[in-house]
Amino acid sequence: MSVTLKDVAQAARVSVSTASRALTGTGLTSERTQQRLVRIARELGYRPNPIARGLKTGQSRLVALLVHNLTNASFQVMAEVVQARLKALGYQMLLCIGGDDPQQESDTLTTLVDHRIDGLIVVPTGKNGAQLKTLSKDVPIVCLVRRDDATDLETVLADDPQGAYLGTRHLIELGHKRIGLIVGRQDTTSGRERLSGYVRALREAGITRDDALIHAGHFEPETGATFARKLLDLPRPPSAIFVANHEATLGVLRVTAERNIAVPDDLSLLCYEDMPWFEWHRPAISIVDNGARDLANLAVDRLLHRMDARGNSKGNGNDGVREYRVGAKLIQRDSCRQIDGPAPAKPAKSKSSSSKSSAAKSAKV
Amino acid sequence: MSVTLKDVAQAARVSVSTASRALTGTGLTSERTQQRLVRIARELGYRPNPIARGLKTGQSRLVALLVHNLTNASFQVMAEVVQARLKALGYQMLLCIGGDDPQQESDTLTTLVDHRIDGLIVVPTGKNGAQLKTLSKDVPIVCLVRRDDATDLETVLADDPQGAYLGTRHLIELGHKRIGLIVGRQDTTSGRERLSGYVRALREAGITRDDALIHAGHFEPETGATFARKLLDLPRPPSAIFVANHEATLGVLRVTAERNIAVPDDLSLLCYEDMPWFEWHRPAISIVDNGARDLANLAVDRLLHRMDARGNSKGNGNDGVREYRVGAKLIQRDSCRQIDGPAPAKPAKSKSSSSKSSAAKSAKV
DNA sequence: CGATAGACTGCAAACGATTGCAGAAACGCT
DNA sequence: AGCGTTTCTGCAATCGTTTGCAGTCTATCG
């Protein structure tokens, strides 16, 4: 079907081994034959068979990325980044969609290792720690966005405590005192950390935490809508909602539309993680950006580092760091409004500017 | 590193060949040893090495999906569908992102064939026809969404002529006479076909085509914005815009926001292809749905059919059909409004209901 | 000029599976 | 019991590469 190494060797009247060495550049080969073989290989259109090579070397030049879905814009850009980076290095990306379902995750992991992937970047569900731990003996693994607490895998995380803190502080600086929080499940790292950032900002500002303003759970847009309604039905509804859960955003938006609540005039809205349409929306939606692109790039860096280390049997590539944090950034658009508060006009001019400066610098750690 | 067939054979005190036959079910094996081997294999946790198997059989159990990007919601759902279907059959999906760039497409295709993929679903750029044609001798290929005119590859297409026709007719039935069209490049199938559907609806309604209302090109949201401005700056601007190009939608939306143009009161807006947030947007955006889910499913069906045919050397799986069309569907939400026209109040009550019925039934062909 | 190191090259054995072919066992039949 | 079938099993080759080892050739040095 296609040109094999044997064909090239025959055409050049050398043995297969010489051909192999000349083309891979391993071993000693005379300059002359080397060049000749490269030329002949090109003429014949020889392309090495990665399967055969993989059988011998135990590598597949396949790297898998396992994410929950592709609806989440962060996962989209991560997938695009990972694919682009890997391609440049001659790897192919296997993109798998696990649906945040432990069973599916487990199945997929098995298949992937069967296929002898050279590396894996995974957004773990958190329920397959044992399996991941076992696999990590065979394959370099980097966790992304979420930590699996049952493992000690290297993990690239968004700086969620900082992000949530930044967002909440921004709202406080705008004069908001009652800030609703809609946040992810508390059995995920990000869910817990975003809550803690929110709480910290509140505490720093001397605002007492009101649990009626906090809703945490696993999300569909629909659930987001439910929680938004609960918040707005409160005797003293919040003047701002921090939607610190990506999936919930649509639901919240629907509720404001349904009830004819003007954003930001009646209610300020701050969301977490960007979506391509946020800046085109009216009003353009302010967000805390989790830095998806940076996260993906860092994850790839770390994975390559580990793969490299393993290849050279220089240990497992541990650099003593278990956890990398990528700074979050506040992106102000038009969905948050200054509250005049019970007191007279804008008393917070200086504060507001300080908010801006804090927003400008990304929170590197 | 992991359990091989040899290990299983040794444990069972049979030869590798017997073990192979017992576990794959090929060839004759006595009931008893068969069962015994299956049991032992399970006990040892044996998992066949697809690379070794692939070397021998020439198959990889890898199927590639090559799309332009993941930002486009249609591609997202297609990727999810394809992944789910393939996984159920024991295949792994290789998702590649070609950026609608011929060079990238070409490179990716080469890599994929190197990896001995068992099948390929591709959204072609249209510039690599020759290469695709060559590859199709080695690998079953199905084109999706776009046709590559230089090939005679089996292609699964949205019924764009019908979809554009349905959409335009809907607007006409609402009383619009001047309907702007923003549509994709005319060197793509979909671009041409959507234009032709638009033209047909106009002609049927006896409306003369006005080329000032038609803008075609390759899109970024930014270009969409530019075209929208041009339309709105016309001496006699349209009362409705049909954004028959997915990428342009955001730009158009921004322009309406910028200029404080109320949708649908000042301008009706009909878009092509759904996005998850369209129904949560305010106003919810009416669309012509291209049936991405159905498209993906059909493409997988056809690909499997071809792969099967090739496997059994029953020919190449041609069933004499070159082109499959998946019906488009009008989904009415709130972005299109009845025009009272120059004549007095709602004269079009019956028309409006007819429009609804036509919307309800999907346009199967 | 002969020995010897050094630079190349080729042979053949892997890698882990599948598979044609032939030998072995089991069975029925006369 | 002897023979022919049938049913099962094992040997060995194969897929396309890589790679340890041994052999060949050239050049250099004494």
Short mmCIF file of all heavy atoms in Angstrom, two decimals, chain A residues 188-247:
data_model
loop_
_atom_site.label_atom_id
_atom_site.label_comp_id
_atom_site.label_asym_id
_atom_site.label_seq_id
_atom_site.Cartn_x
_atom_site.Cartn_y
_atom_site.Cartn_z
N THR A 188 -15.89 19.99 44.47
CA THR A 188 -14.83 20.23 43.50
C THR A 188 -13.91 21.32 44.04
O THR A 188 -14.35 22.20 44.78
CB THR A 188 -15.39 20.71 42.15
OG1 THR A 188 -16.05 21.96 42.34
CG2 THR A 188 -16.38 19.71 41.58
N THR A 189 -12.67 21.24 43.63
CA THR A 189 -11.71 22.24 44.06
C THR A 189 -12.20 23.64 43.75
O THR A 189 -12.22 24.52 44.61
CB THR A 189 -10.38 22.05 43.31
OG1 THR A 189 -10.18 20.67 43.06
CG2 THR A 189 -9.23 22.59 44.11
N SER A 190 -12.59 23.83 42.48
CA SER A 190 -12.94 25.17 42.05
C SER A 190 -14.16 25.68 42.82
O SER A 190 -14.22 26.85 43.20
CB SER A 190 -13.20 25.20 40.55
OG SER A 190 -14.30 24.38 40.24
N GLY A 191 -15.10 24.81 43.06
CA GLY A 191 -16.29 25.22 43.80
C GLY A 191 -15.92 25.75 45.18
O GLY A 191 -16.33 26.85 45.58
N ARG A 192 -15.12 24.99 45.89
CA ARG A 192 -14.71 25.40 47.23
C ARG A 192 -13.90 26.68 47.19
O ARG A 192 -14.11 27.60 47.98
CB ARG A 192 -13.87 24.30 47.87
CG ARG A 192 -14.67 23.15 48.45
CD ARG A 192 -13.81 22.34 49.42
NE ARG A 192 -12.61 21.84 48.79
CZ ARG A 192 -12.55 20.71 48.09
NH1 ARG A 192 -13.63 19.98 47.93
NH2 ARG A 192 -11.42 20.30 47.56
N GLU A 193 -12.94 26.71 46.27
CA GLU A 193 -12.01 27.84 46.26
C GLU A 193 -12.68 29.15 45.89
O GLU A 193 -12.32 30.21 46.41
CB GLU A 193 -10.86 27.54 45.30
CG GLU A 193 -9.98 26.41 45.82
CD GLU A 193 -8.76 26.20 44.95
OE1 GLU A 193 -8.75 26.72 43.82
OE2 GLU A 193 -7.85 25.51 45.40
N ARG A 194 -13.64 29.07 45.01
CA ARG A 194 -14.30 30.31 44.63
C ARG A 194 -15.13 30.82 45.80
O ARG A 194 -15.19 32.03 46.06
CB ARG A 194 -15.17 30.09 43.39
CG ARG A 194 -14.31 29.82 42.18
CD ARG A 194 -15.09 29.72 40.90
NE ARG A 194 -14.22 29.24 39.82
CZ ARG A 194 -14.63 28.94 38.60
NH1 ARG A 194 -15.92 29.05 38.29
NH2 ARG A 194 -13.78 28.53 37.69
N LEU A 195 -15.75 29.90 46.50
CA LEU A 195 -16.50 30.32 47.68
C LEU A 195 -15.57 30.99 48.68
O LEU A 195 -15.87 32.05 49.24
CB LEU A 195 -17.20 29.11 48.32
CG LEU A 195 -17.93 29.41 49.64
CD1 LEU A 195 -18.97 30.50 49.44
CD2 LEU A 195 -18.59 28.15 50.19
N SER A 196 -14.41 30.39 48.86
CA SER A 196 -13.51 30.93 49.88
C SER A 196 -13.01 32.32 49.50
O SER A 196 -12.87 33.20 50.34
CB SER A 196 -12.34 29.98 50.13
OG SER A 196 -11.37 30.13 49.11
N GLY A 197 -12.77 32.54 48.19
CA GLY A 197 -12.34 33.86 47.75
C GLY A 197 -13.41 34.91 48.01
O GLY A 197 -13.13 36.03 48.45
N TYR A 198 -14.62 34.50 47.75
CA TYR A 198 -15.76 35.39 47.98
C TYR A 198 -15.83 35.75 49.46
O TYR A 198 -15.95 36.92 49.84
CB TYR A 198 -17.02 34.64 47.52
CG TYR A 198 -18.35 35.19 47.97
CD1 TYR A 198 -19.00 36.17 47.23
CD2 TYR A 198 -18.99 34.67 49.09
CE1 TYR A 198 -20.25 36.64 47.61
CE2 TYR A 198 -20.23 35.13 49.49
CZ TYR A 198 -20.86 36.11 48.74
OH TYR A 198 -22.09 36.57 49.13
N VAL A 199 -15.72 34.73 50.29
CA VAL A 199 -15.82 34.96 51.73
C VAL A 199 -14.71 35.87 52.22
O VAL A 199 -14.92 36.78 53.01
CB VAL A 199 -15.78 33.60 52.48
CG1 VAL A 199 -15.64 33.84 53.98
CG2 VAL A 199 -17.03 32.80 52.18
N ARG A 200 -13.53 35.64 51.69
CA ARG A 200 -12.40 36.46 52.13
C ARG A 200 -12.62 37.94 51.80
O ARG A 200 -12.40 38.82 52.63
CB ARG A 200 -11.10 35.98 51.48
CG ARG A 200 -9.88 36.83 51.85
CD ARG A 200 -8.58 36.08 51.62
NE ARG A 200 -8.22 35.97 50.22
CZ ARG A 200 -7.41 36.85 49.59
NH1 ARG A 200 -6.91 37.87 50.25
NH2 ARG A 200 -7.12 36.68 48.32
N ALA A 201 -13.08 38.20 50.59
CA ALA A 201 -13.31 39.59 50.19
C ALA A 201 -14.35 40.24 51.09
O ALA A 201 -14.20 41.39 51.52
CB ALA A 201 -13.75 39.65 48.74
N LEU A 202 -15.39 39.47 51.37
CA LEU A 202 -16.43 39.98 52.26
C LEU A 202 -15.84 40.34 53.62
O LEU A 202 -16.07 41.43 54.16
CB LEU A 202 -17.50 38.90 52.44
CG LEU A 202 -18.89 39.14 51.83
CD1 LEU A 202 -18.77 39.68 50.42
CD2 LEU A 202 -19.70 37.86 51.85
N ARG A 203 -15.10 39.40 54.16
CA ARG A 203 -14.55 39.59 55.49
C ARG A 203 -13.65 40.82 55.52
O ARG A 203 -13.76 41.67 56.39
CB ARG A 203 -13.76 38.35 55.92
CG ARG A 203 -13.42 38.33 57.40
CD ARG A 203 -12.78 37.02 57.80
NE ARG A 203 -11.81 36.58 56.82
CZ ARG A 203 -11.81 35.37 56.24
NH1 ARG A 203 -12.73 34.49 56.55
NH2 ARG A 203 -10.87 35.04 55.36
N GLU A 204 -12.79 40.91 54.54
CA GLU A 204 -11.88 42.05 54.47
C GLU A 204 -12.62 43.36 54.46
O GLU A 204 -12.16 44.36 55.00
CB GLU A 204 -11.05 41.98 53.19
CG GLU A 204 -9.66 41.46 53.42
CD GLU A 204 -8.83 41.56 52.15
OE1 GLU A 204 -9.10 42.44 51.30
OE2 GLU A 204 -7.90 40.74 52.02
N ALA A 205 -13.80 43.34 53.83
CA ALA A 205 -14.57 44.58 53.74
C ALA A 205 -15.47 44.77 54.95
O ALA A 205 -16.22 45.74 55.03
CB ALA A 205 -15.40 44.57 52.46
N GLY A 206 -15.39 43.80 55.86
CA GLY A 206 -16.21 43.92 57.06
C GLY A 206 -17.68 43.67 56.84
O GLY A 206 -18.54 44.12 57.60
N ILE A 207 -17.98 42.94 55.76
CA ILE A 207 -19.39 42.60 55.50
C ILE A 207 -19.66 41.21 56.06
O ILE A 207 -18.91 40.27 55.80
CB ILE A 207 -19.67 42.60 53.98
CG1 ILE A 207 -19.34 43.98 53.41
CG2 ILE A 207 -21.10 42.21 53.71
CD1 ILE A 207 -19.54 44.07 51.91
N THR A 208 -20.72 41.08 56.83
CA THR A 208 -20.98 39.75 57.38
C THR A 208 -21.62 38.86 56.33
O THR A 208 -22.49 39.28 55.57
CB THR A 208 -21.92 39.82 58.60
OG1 THR A 208 -22.97 40.73 58.28
CG2 THR A 208 -21.17 40.26 59.83
N ARG A 209 -21.16 37.64 56.33
CA ARG A 209 -21.62 36.67 55.35
C ARG A 209 -23.07 36.29 55.62
O ARG A 209 -23.44 36.05 56.76
CB ARG A 209 -20.71 35.45 55.47
CG ARG A 209 -21.24 34.20 54.84
CD ARG A 209 -20.23 33.10 55.04
NE ARG A 209 -20.74 31.83 54.59
CZ ARG A 209 -20.00 30.74 54.48
NH1 ARG A 209 -18.72 30.78 54.81
NH2 ARG A 209 -20.53 29.61 54.06
N ASP A 210 -23.85 36.28 54.55
CA ASP A 210 -25.25 35.89 54.70
C ASP A 210 -25.49 34.64 53.85
O ASP A 210 -25.49 34.70 52.62
CB ASP A 210 -26.14 37.04 54.23
CG ASP A 210 -27.62 36.68 54.31
OD1 ASP A 210 -27.94 35.49 54.59
OD2 ASP A 210 -28.45 37.58 54.11
N ASP A 211 -25.72 33.53 54.51
CA ASP A 211 -25.80 32.27 53.76
C ASP A 211 -26.99 32.20 52.82
O ASP A 211 -27.00 31.40 51.88
CB ASP A 211 -25.81 31.08 54.73
CG ASP A 211 -24.41 30.76 55.21
OD1 ASP A 211 -23.44 31.20 54.54
OD2 ASP A 211 -24.25 30.10 56.25
N ALA A 212 -27.97 33.04 53.06
CA ALA A 212 -29.11 33.06 52.15
C ALA A 212 -28.69 33.57 50.77
O ALA A 212 -29.37 33.35 49.78
CB ALA A 212 -30.21 33.96 52.72
N LEU A 213 -27.55 34.21 50.72
CA LEU A 213 -27.08 34.77 49.45
C LEU A 213 -26.19 33.80 48.68
O LEU A 213 -25.74 34.09 47.58
CB LEU A 213 -26.30 36.07 49.71
CG LEU A 213 -27.13 37.26 50.18
CD1 LEU A 213 -26.24 38.45 50.49
CD2 LEU A 213 -28.15 37.65 49.11
N ILE A 214 -25.91 32.66 49.29
CA ILE A 214 -24.96 31.73 48.67
C ILE A 214 -25.65 30.45 48.21
O ILE A 214 -26.31 29.78 49.01
CB ILE A 214 -23.85 31.37 49.68
CG1 ILE A 214 -23.12 32.65 50.09
CG2 ILE A 214 -22.89 30.37 49.08
CD1 ILE A 214 -22.08 32.44 51.17
N HIS A 215 -25.48 30.16 46.94
CA HIS A 215 -26.05 28.91 46.42
C HIS A 215 -24.96 28.12 45.72
O HIS A 215 -24.31 28.62 44.81
CB HIS A 215 -27.18 29.21 45.45
CG HIS A 215 -28.44 29.64 46.13
ND1 HIS A 215 -29.28 28.78 46.79
CD2 HIS A 215 -28.99 30.87 46.26
CE1 HIS A 215 -30.29 29.44 47.30
NE2 HIS A 215 -30.14 30.72 46.99
N ALA A 216 -24.81 26.89 46.13
CA ALA A 216 -23.80 26.04 45.50
C ALA A 216 -24.46 24.76 45.01
O ALA A 216 -25.37 24.24 45.64
CB ALA A 216 -22.70 25.69 46.50
N GLY A 217 -24.00 24.27 43.87
CA GLY A 217 -24.58 23.02 43.37
C GLY A 217 -24.00 22.65 42.03
O GLY A 217 -23.16 23.36 41.48
N HIS A 218 -24.45 21.53 41.55
CA HIS A 218 -24.00 21.08 40.24
C HIS A 218 -24.95 21.67 39.21
O HIS A 218 -26.15 21.64 39.38
CB HIS A 218 -24.04 19.56 40.19
CG HIS A 218 -23.61 19.04 38.87
ND1 HIS A 218 -22.42 19.41 38.29
CD2 HIS A 218 -24.21 18.20 38.00
CE1 HIS A 218 -22.30 18.81 37.13
NE2 HIS A 218 -23.37 18.07 36.92
N PHE A 219 -24.40 22.17 38.10
CA PHE A 219 -25.21 23.03 37.27
C PHE A 219 -25.57 22.58 35.88
O PHE A 219 -24.75 22.03 35.14
CB PHE A 219 -24.56 24.40 37.13
CG PHE A 219 -24.72 25.20 38.38
CD1 PHE A 219 -23.75 25.19 39.35
CD2 PHE A 219 -25.89 25.88 38.59
CE1 PHE A 219 -23.92 25.91 40.50
CE2 PHE A 219 -26.07 26.61 39.75
CZ PHE A 219 -25.08 26.62 40.72
N GLU A 220 -26.76 22.86 35.59
CA GLU A 220 -27.28 23.05 34.26
C GLU A 220 -27.72 24.52 34.24
O GLU A 220 -27.95 25.10 35.31
CB GLU A 220 -28.54 22.20 34.04
CG GLU A 220 -28.42 20.80 34.58
CD GLU A 220 -27.60 19.96 33.63
OE1 GLU A 220 -27.89 20.03 32.43
OE2 GLU A 220 -26.69 19.26 34.10
N PRO A 221 -27.92 25.08 33.06
CA PRO A 221 -28.45 26.45 33.03
C PRO A 221 -29.73 26.53 33.86
O PRO A 221 -29.97 27.49 34.57
CB PRO A 221 -28.73 26.68 31.55
CG PRO A 221 -27.81 25.79 30.83
CD PRO A 221 -27.59 24.61 31.70
N GLU A 222 -30.52 25.48 33.77
CA GLU A 222 -31.80 25.48 34.46
C GLU A 222 -31.63 25.70 35.96
O GLU A 222 -32.37 26.45 36.60
CB GLU A 222 -32.50 24.13 34.21
CG GLU A 222 -33.99 24.15 34.40
CD GLU A 222 -34.66 25.31 33.68
OE1 GLU A 222 -34.45 25.45 32.46
OE2 GLU A 222 -35.37 26.10 34.35
N THR A 223 -30.65 25.01 36.53
CA THR A 223 -30.40 25.17 37.96
C THR A 223 -29.95 26.59 38.25
O THR A 223 -30.31 27.16 39.29
CB THR A 223 -29.29 24.20 38.41
OG1 THR A 223 -29.28 23.07 37.55
CG2 THR A 223 -29.51 23.78 39.83
N GLY A 224 -29.18 27.13 37.36
CA GLY A 224 -28.75 28.51 37.52
C GLY A 224 -29.96 29.44 37.62
O GLY A 224 -30.02 30.35 38.45
N ALA A 225 -30.94 29.16 36.77
CA ALA A 225 -32.16 29.97 36.77
C ALA A 225 -32.87 29.84 38.13
O ALA A 225 -33.29 30.83 38.73
CB ALA A 225 -33.09 29.54 35.64
N THR A 226 -32.98 28.62 38.58
CA THR A 226 -33.65 28.37 39.86
C THR A 226 -33.00 29.17 40.99
O THR A 226 -33.67 29.85 41.77
CB THR A 226 -33.57 26.88 40.22
OG1 THR A 226 -33.99 26.12 39.09
CG2 THR A 226 -34.43 26.57 41.42
N PHE A 227 -31.68 29.08 41.04
CA PHE A 227 -30.96 29.79 42.10
C PHE A 227 -31.12 31.30 41.96
O PHE A 227 -31.28 32.00 42.96
CB PHE A 227 -29.48 29.41 42.07
CG PHE A 227 -29.21 28.06 42.64
CD1 PHE A 227 -27.93 27.52 42.65
CD2 PHE A 227 -30.25 27.30 43.20
CE1 PHE A 227 -27.68 26.26 43.19
CE2 PHE A 227 -30.01 26.04 43.74
CZ PHE A 227 -28.72 25.52 43.73
N ALA A 228 -31.10 31.78 40.73
CA ALA A 228 -31.27 33.22 40.52
C ALA A 228 -32.63 33.66 41.06
O ALA A 228 -32.75 34.67 41.74
CB ALA A 228 -31.15 33.55 39.04
N ARG A 229 -33.64 32.86 40.78
CA ARG A 229 -34.99 33.20 41.27
C ARG A 229 -35.00 33.24 42.78
O ARG A 229 -35.57 34.15 43.39
CB ARG A 229 -36.00 32.17 40.78
CG ARG A 229 -36.31 32.32 39.31
CD ARG A 229 -37.60 31.64 38.88
NE ARG A 229 -37.58 31.52 37.43
CZ ARG A 229 -37.17 30.44 36.78
NH1 ARG A 229 -36.80 29.36 37.44
NH2 ARG A 229 -37.14 30.43 35.46
N LYS A 230 -34.37 32.25 43.39
CA LYS A 230 -34.35 32.22 44.85
C LYS A 230 -33.71 33.49 45.40
O LYS A 230 -34.20 34.08 46.36
CB LYS A 230 -33.55 31.00 45.34
CG LYS A 230 -34.35 29.71 45.22
CD LYS A 230 -33.73 28.60 46.06
CE LYS A 230 -34.55 27.33 45.94
NZ LYS A 230 -33.75 26.11 46.08
N LEU A 231 -32.63 33.90 44.76
CA LEU A 231 -31.95 35.10 45.24
C LEU A 231 -32.83 36.32 45.10
O LEU A 231 -32.93 37.16 46.00
CB LEU A 231 -30.65 35.31 44.44
CG LEU A 231 -29.50 34.37 44.80
CD1 LEU A 231 -28.35 34.54 43.82
CD2 LEU A 231 -29.03 34.63 46.23
N LEU A 232 -33.50 36.42 43.95
CA LEU A 232 -34.28 37.62 43.69
C LEU A 232 -35.57 37.65 44.50
O LEU A 232 -36.16 38.71 44.71
CB LEU A 232 -34.58 37.72 42.19
CG LEU A 232 -33.33 37.92 41.33
CD1 LEU A 232 -33.64 37.76 39.85
CD2 LEU A 232 -32.73 39.31 41.60
N ASP A 233 -36.00 36.49 44.94
CA ASP A 233 -37.23 36.42 45.73
C ASP A 233 -36.98 36.70 47.21
O ASP A 233 -37.92 36.73 48.00
CB ASP A 233 -37.87 35.03 45.58
CG ASP A 233 -38.52 34.87 44.22
OD1 ASP A 233 -38.77 35.91 43.56
OD2 ASP A 233 -38.76 33.73 43.81
N LEU A 234 -35.73 36.87 47.55
CA LEU A 234 -35.40 37.14 48.95
C LEU A 234 -36.09 38.43 49.40
O LEU A 234 -36.27 39.36 48.61
CB LEU A 234 -33.88 37.31 49.06
CG LEU A 234 -33.07 36.27 49.84
CD1 LEU A 234 -33.65 34.87 49.72
CD2 LEU A 234 -31.63 36.27 49.34
N PRO A 235 -36.44 38.51 50.68
CA PRO A 235 -37.03 39.74 51.20
C PRO A 235 -36.12 40.93 50.91
O PRO A 235 -36.59 41.98 50.47
CB PRO A 235 -37.11 39.49 52.71
CG PRO A 235 -36.93 38.04 52.92
CD PRO A 235 -36.30 37.46 51.70
N ARG A 236 -34.83 40.72 51.13
CA ARG A 236 -33.87 41.77 50.76
C ARG A 236 -32.96 41.21 49.68
O ARG A 236 -31.90 40.67 49.99
CB ARG A 236 -33.04 42.18 51.97
CG ARG A 236 -33.82 42.93 53.05
CD ARG A 236 -32.91 43.24 54.23
NE ARG A 236 -31.70 43.93 53.83
CZ ARG A 236 -30.51 43.76 54.44
NH1 ARG A 236 -30.39 42.91 55.45
NH2 ARG A 236 -29.46 44.43 54.03
N PRO A 237 -33.37 41.32 48.43
CA PRO A 237 -32.58 40.70 47.35
C PRO A 237 -31.24 41.39 47.19
O PRO A 237 -31.08 42.55 47.59
CB PRO A 237 -33.44 40.91 46.11
CG PRO A 237 -34.31 42.07 46.43
CD PRO A 237 -34.53 42.04 47.90
N PRO A 238 -30.26 40.68 46.64
CA PRO A 238 -28.94 41.27 46.42
C PRO A 238 -28.98 42.35 45.35
O PRO A 238 -29.86 42.34 44.49
CB PRO A 238 -28.10 40.08 45.94
CG PRO A 238 -29.08 39.13 45.37
CD PRO A 238 -30.34 39.29 46.16
N SER A 239 -28.02 43.27 45.42
CA SER A 239 -27.92 44.28 44.38
C SER A 239 -26.97 43.84 43.28
O SER A 239 -26.86 44.48 42.25
CB SER A 239 -27.43 45.60 44.98
OG SER A 239 -26.12 45.42 45.50
N ALA A 240 -26.27 42.75 43.54
CA ALA A 240 -25.35 42.20 42.53
C ALA A 240 -25.31 40.69 42.69
O ALA A 240 -25.46 40.17 43.79
CB ALA A 240 -23.96 42.78 42.72
N ILE A 241 -25.12 40.01 41.57
CA ILE A 241 -24.94 38.56 41.63
C ILE A 241 -23.61 38.22 40.97
O ILE A 241 -23.31 38.68 39.87
CB ILE A 241 -26.07 37.80 40.93
CG1 ILE A 241 -27.41 38.07 41.63
CG2 ILE A 241 -25.79 36.31 40.92
CD1 ILE A 241 -28.58 37.27 41.09
N PHE A 242 -22.85 37.44 41.68
CA PHE A 242 -21.58 36.94 41.14
C PHE A 242 -21.85 35.50 40.71
O PHE A 242 -22.02 34.62 41.54
CB PHE A 242 -20.53 37.00 42.25
CG PHE A 242 -19.12 36.72 41.78
CD1 PHE A 242 -18.81 36.49 40.45
CD2 PHE A 242 -18.07 36.67 42.71
CE1 PHE A 242 -17.51 36.23 40.03
CE2 PHE A 242 -16.77 36.42 42.31
CZ PHE A 242 -16.49 36.19 40.97
N VAL A 243 -21.90 35.30 39.40
CA VAL A 243 -22.18 33.97 38.89
C VAL A 243 -20.86 33.26 38.68
O VAL A 243 -20.27 33.30 37.61
CB VAL A 243 -22.96 34.02 37.57
CG1 VAL A 243 -23.42 32.62 37.19
CG2 VAL A 243 -24.15 34.94 37.70
N ALA A 244 -20.40 32.63 39.74
CA ALA A 244 -19.06 32.05 39.70
C ALA A 244 -19.10 30.62 39.17
O ALA A 244 -18.28 29.80 39.52
CB ALA A 244 -18.43 32.09 41.08
N ASN A 245 -20.07 30.36 38.35
CA ASN A 245 -20.15 29.03 37.74
C ASN A 245 -20.59 29.17 36.31
O ASN A 245 -21.67 29.66 36.01
CB ASN A 245 -21.14 28.17 38.52
CG ASN A 245 -21.30 26.82 37.88
OD1 ASN A 245 -21.96 26.69 36.87
ND2 ASN A 245 -20.67 25.83 38.45
N HIS A 246 -19.73 28.72 35.47
CA HIS A 246 -19.88 28.92 34.04
C HIS A 246 -21.22 28.45 33.49
O HIS A 246 -21.91 29.16 32.77
CB HIS A 246 -18.73 28.18 33.37
CG HIS A 246 -18.55 28.52 31.95
ND1 HIS A 246 -19.05 27.76 30.94
CD2 HIS A 246 -17.94 29.56 31.36
CE1 HIS A 246 -18.73 28.30 29.79
NE2 HIS A 246 -18.05 29.39 30.01
N GLU A 247 -21.59 27.27 33.87
CA GLU A 247 -22.80 26.68 33.31
C GLU A 247 -24.06 27.44 33.72
O GLU A 247 -25.09 27.37 33.06
CB GLU A 247 -22.96 25.22 33.74
CG GLU A 247 -22.08 24.26 32.97
CD GLU A 247 -20.67 24.21 33.55
OE1 GLU A 247 -20.46 24.76 34.65
OE2 GLU A 247 -19.78 23.65 32.90
#
